Amino acid sequence: MQYVLCSIIFVLFSLGSRAQDPVAAPAREYRGTQPPDSAVIQLLEEDARLFATYRDIAMRDSLRRRLLSPGYFYHGLDGKPIDLEGLTQRQERNGFKLLASSVLREILYQYESTAILVLHEELTTLDKGMTKTSLRSCMLVMGKENGRWVFQADIMGKDPPR
């Protein structure tokens, strides 16, 4: 089973560091009750910067900790939610690497104290020694806690429609 950390796709969301085919621009939409909060966009961009800068999984995840809620969890395709430490260990054990990615569609739902980024993407990954290209959907949940935006969950979903 392929374990993909949805946050890796922040590299694609970040306005300054898109890592996708420039010819195939994704459909970006904004929905919800509020316009996109600049602090939410900054949070996404900071996470993208960490993913683009740090290839060492443990180092990257240790730096991401300040961006996460104390209750943060990752919910993978296996249906088992794990915390950041469990995710770091899993990716290191599996030799996980994102080789290529392309966002097909992204929707940011912005509310007063919650923001949800839904992504449909095509990924090429190395996981457990196997290279695989697949379609994925994921949902990134952010919330305002103690006056600042943090990531609360990364949730993997079923393959998106083409």
Side-chain angles (χ1 to χ4, degrees):
M1 176 177 276
Q2 180 181 16
Y3 299 105
V4 179
L5 175 62
C6 220
S7 295
I8 290 171
I9 305 311
F10 289 141
V11 173
L12 302 173
F13 188 87
S14 174
L15 301 174
S17 59
R18 283 208 176 273
Q20 69 185 50
D21 180 354
V23 176
R28 179 180 293 160
E29 298 176 43
Y30 299 104
R31 298 185 186 171
T33 61
Q34 306 290 316
D37 187 315
S38 63
V40 169
I41 302 301
Q42 288 173 351
L43 179 64
L44 293 167
E45 289 176 346
E46 174 62 12
D47 204 48
R49 188 189 66 74
L50 293 175
F51 275 98
T53 305
Y54 298 95
R55 297 294 176 209
D56 179 81
I57 294 167
M59 172 62 79
R60 178 199 69 212
D61 286 355
S62 71
L63 295 170
R64 287 186 71 231
R65 180 167 305 287
R66 64 185 166 76
L67 305 178
L68 308 179
S69 168
Y72 167 86
F73 68 93
Y74 168 84
H75 191 280
L77 295 174
D78 61 1
K80 299 176 184 175
I82 56 176
D83 61 11
L84 182 63
E85 288 79 19
L87 182 59
T88 303
Q89 291 169 5
R90 178 189 290 171
Q91 287 188 343
E92 287 182 326
R93 181 178 61 244
N94 293 348
F96 178 84
K97 291 183 182 168
L98 177 65
L99 303 175
S101 58
S102 178
V103 172
L104 306 173
R105 183 176 181 202
E106 55 189 12
I107 305 168
L108 178 63
Y109 295 87
Q110 179 72 59
Y111 303 98
E112 286 189 32
S113 60
T114 303
I116 301 166
L117 180 64
V118 176
L119 295 169
H120 295 167
E121 57 205 352
E122 182 175 272
L123 303 171
T124 301
T125 58
L126 175 65
D127 195 20
K128 296 181 182 178
M130 298 177 60
T131 301
K132 182 177 180 181
T133 298
S134 58
L135 295 176
R136 285 288 171 251
S137 65
C138 64
M139 182 170 67
L140 304 148
V141 180
M142 296 157 276
K144 202 167 197 179
E145 295 180 3
N146 298 317
R148 69 181 196 98
W149 287 95
V150 293
F151 293 107
Q152 296 174 328
D154 291 339
I155 303 168
M156 295 304 301
K158 65 180 185 172
D159 293 354
R162 262 293 198 180

